[in-house]
């Protein structure tokens, strides 16, 4: 089998740039959505936008569990599911992972959490550290997990993309090994798949079941001839199909998403002609234009604020 390196991302990686992701050279990423029932990662879109621009083309998502009983596990699973749908528009069969790193988390509660994810239509993953593994009944958890991800760091020094398998953690059912928290010295966790299942369950293009992952900066429903030519994206913005050309009246940022928090692709100078295929108005009155791009990832820029155009529409 071909082993693949992947990374996981949380607010700690919010300052990584598109060039940083290109240097990391990975195709898969697992992004933190939530923790307990009172925290949602505020950088979800930016992390996905930048990593996608840097070459990542498959995404899974995780929740850091804080529950210590079955009732709390139910509440946290619902919180994870609800926020994943609201923030990132997860599709059925997406790999959704429980990060189990606290002491006192019962095996029964892990099963309750994973079962809730599976009942909601998702693939399920279980992550923990080798030092905590003995506190869980892995045989009981196995029927409820599609992916087992185990952390064990052989060194605290920065690691490259060739882990020393002499330090591979001895455990059953491992699909992926997180072997460093400092891949290439860039302060990002690095993992490697070790089974075919570890590759297949994670893949963006699953031949049997279709695409399991969503791109958050894309509209959630694309228009077809049988539908009205409007759609609502994951941020709640209503888009209207319109084909035209916008000529910038001054320097304007072109971004990976239709929000000022999204990463900047480039700054367009005055007089730049931008062909767009849709527009939407955000909650503060900015009119965003969607620019189709050859790499398949649309660009977005502000064309108007209120009644003031930032250029000329043709």
């Amino acid at each position: 089998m071909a082993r693949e390196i992947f990374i996981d991302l949380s607010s700690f990686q919010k300052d990584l740039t598109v060039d940083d992701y290109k240097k990391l050279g990975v195709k898969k990423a697992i992004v933190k959505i939530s923790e307990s029932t009172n925290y949602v990662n505020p950088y979800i879109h930016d992390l996905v936008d930048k990593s996608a621009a840097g070459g990542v083309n498959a995404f899974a998502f995780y929740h850091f569990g804080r529950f210590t009983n079955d009732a709390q596990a139910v509440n946290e699973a619902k919180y994870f599911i609800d926020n994943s749908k609201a923030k990132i528009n997860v599709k059925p069969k997406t790999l959704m992972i429980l990060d189990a790193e606290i002491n006192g988390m019962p095996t029964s509660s892990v099963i309750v959490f994973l079962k809730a994810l599976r009942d909601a239509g998702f693939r399920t993953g279980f992550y923990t550290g080798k030092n905590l593994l003995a506190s869980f009944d892995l045989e009981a958890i196995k029927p409820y997990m599609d992916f087992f991800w185990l952390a064990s760091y052989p060194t605290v020094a920065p690691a490259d993309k060739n882990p020393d398998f002499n330090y591979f953690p001895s455990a059953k059912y491992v699909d992926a090994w997180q072997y460093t928290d400092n891949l290439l010295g860039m302060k990002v966790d690095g993992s490697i798949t070790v089974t075919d299942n570890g590759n297949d369950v994670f893949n963006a293009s699953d031949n049997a079941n279709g695409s399991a992952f969503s791109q958050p900066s894309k509209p959630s429903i694309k228009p077809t001839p049988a539908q009205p030519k409007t759609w609502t994206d994951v941020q709640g913005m209503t888009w209207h199909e319109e084909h035209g050309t916008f000529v910038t009246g001054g320097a304007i940022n072109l971004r990976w998403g239709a929000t000022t928090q999204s990463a900047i692709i480039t700054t367009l100078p005055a007089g730049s002609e931008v062909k767009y295929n849709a527009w939407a108005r955000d909650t503060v009155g900015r009119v965003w234009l969607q620019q189709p791009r050859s790499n398949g990832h649309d660009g977005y820029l502000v064309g108007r604020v209120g009644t003031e155009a930032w250029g000329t529409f043709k």
Side-chain angles (χ1 to χ4, degrees):
M1 62 157 289
R3 291 170 173 158
E4 296 184 60
I5 301 294
F6 64 90
I7 57 176
D8 54 281
L9 303 170
S10 69
S11 60
F12 292 108
Q13 284 75 47
K14 64 182 176 62
D15 294 324
L16 288 179
T17 66
V18 172
D19 285 341
D20 289 333
Y21 289 109
K22 290 179 179 178
K23 291 174 185 175
L24 286 164
V26 297
K27 299 298 183 183
K28 299 179 177 182
I30 301 176
V31 182
K32 181 175 183 177
I33 295 288
S34 53
E35 182 172 336
S36 186
T37 55
N38 57 10
Y39 174 82
V40 176
N41 179 5
Y43 302 100
I44 298 167
H45 281 275
D46 203 41
L47 290 167
V48 176
D49 287 345
K50 286 181 181 177
S51 60
V56 174
N57 59 20
F59 294 92
F61 305 98
Y62 78 92
H63 171 88
F64 190 100
R66 293 283 184 186
F67 53 83
T68 56
N69 60 55
D70 292 4
Q72 290 172 352
V74 169
N75 290 335
E76 289 199 28
K78 184 178 187 302
Y79 189 76
F80 181 30
I81 293 166
D82 288 350
N83 281 289
S84 296
K85 290 180 177 179
K87 301 295 183 182
I88 216 74
N89 191 31
V90 292
K91 295 181 181 179
K93 301 186 184 301
T94 299
L95 178 58
M96 301 275 277
I97 299 167
L98 168 64
D99 182 344
E101 294 186 59
I102 69 165
N103 291 309
M105 182 178 285
T107 292
S108 64
S109 301
V110 169
I111 291 171
V112 165
F113 186 97
L114 296 178
K115 188 175 185 301
L117 296 182
R118 185 169 285 177
D119 288 347
F122 302 111
R123 293 187 172 111
T124 58
F126 177 58
Y127 167 94
T128 193
K130 181 64 187 298
N131 62 318
L132 284 172
L133 188 56
S135 66
F136 298 105
D137 182 347
L138 193 60
E139 294 295 335
I141 294 171
K142 176 66 169 66
Y144 299 92
M145 67 179 182
D146 299 305
F147 177 79
F148 182 33
W149 180 23
L150 187 61
S152 179
Y153 304 157
T155 176
V156 296
D160 62 20
K161 295 165 76 173
N162 297 288
D164 185 347
F165 273 84
N166 289 316
Y167 293 95
F168 182 75
S170 177
K172 295 174 70 174
Y173 311 126
V174 177
D175 291 305
W177 171 30
Q178 187 184 82
Y179 65 92
T180 181
D181 63 355
N182 197 9
L183 182 62
L184 303 184
M186 298 179 71
K187 300 189 186 317
V188 60
D189 297 338
S191 301
I192 187 167
T193 57
V194 296
T195 66
D196 288 331
N197 179 66
N199 289 332
D200 296 341
V201 76
F202 199 104
N203 276 341
S205 55
D206 180 346
N207 293 331
N209 296 297
S211 177
F213 305 94
S214 62
Q215 291 289 340
S217 291
K218 297 284 189 179
S220 58
I221 302 174
K222 285 290 189 180
T224 69
Q227 295 176 311
K229 294 184 178 181
T230 62
W231 62 94
T232 301
D233 68 12
V234 296
Q235 300 174 79
M237 291 171 60
T238 299
W239 287 86
H240 307 265
E241 184 177 24
E242 179 179 284
H243 298 269
T245 300
F246 175 73
V247 182
T248 59
I252 299 177
N253 290 328
L254 181 68
R255 298 180 181 272
W256 289 113
T259 165
T260 56
Q261 302 303 310
S262 292
I264 296 173
I265 302 172
T266 188
T267 299
L268 302 171
S272 298
E273 288 198 357
V274 177
K275 294 188 181 299
Y276 64 94
N277 62 3
W279 66 270
R281 190 184 303 274
D282 65 19
T283 56
V284 296
R286 287 181 290 248
V287 173
W288 291 86
L289 307 176
Q290 178 176 272
Q291 178 207 41
R293 295 172 64 81
S294 59
N295 63 3
H297 296 289
D298 298 327
Y300 299 85
L301 72 158
V302 176
R304 186 189 304 274
V305 177
T307 59
E308 179 186 359
W310 283 14
T312 304
F313 290 87
K314 295 167 48 173

